[in-house]
Amino acid sequence: MVHTPHRPSWMCAACPVDTPWPCPPARIQLAEAYAGEPIALSVDIGEMLPMAAEEAGVTDPAELYERFVSWTWNGSAT
């Protein structure tokens, strides 16, 4: 099952209700899709951050960073 964002809420379309995307399974899927290209993963996910912030109304920079960016650089998809 592919875990994709349900827009405009940016919750996972496959996980239980109110699971923020990218959820742990989505992070694994994205890391696998971008295997060997960590910079491309970070750039693409980073470009989604402002769209998600605007559409879902998330304004906390720390929450946005943790949700969209931090996991792409820590060597782990979770």
Side-chain angles (χ1 to χ4, degrees):
M1 175 177 292
V2 177
H3 291 257
T4 58
H6 183 268
R7 294 174 67 184
S9 69
W10 285 81
M11 297 297 163
C12 181
C15 285
V17 175
D18 294 331
T19 301
W21 188 92
C23 59
R27 291 176 181 193
I28 291 168
Q29 290 171 351
L30 287 162
E32 290 172 351
Y34 285 86
E37 298 292 334
I39 294 172
L41 170 61
S42 295
V43 167
D44 287 352
I45 290 295
E47 288 177 349
M48 292 179 193
L49 188 151
M51 289 186 292
E54 183 177 332
E55 291 177 6
V58 180
T59 58
D60 180 5
E63 177 185 346
L64 289 167
Y65 176 79
E66 285 299 316
R67 185 170 166 183
F68 284 90
V69 180
S70 69
W71 68 271
T72 66
W73 283 99
N74 68 9
S76 170
T78 56

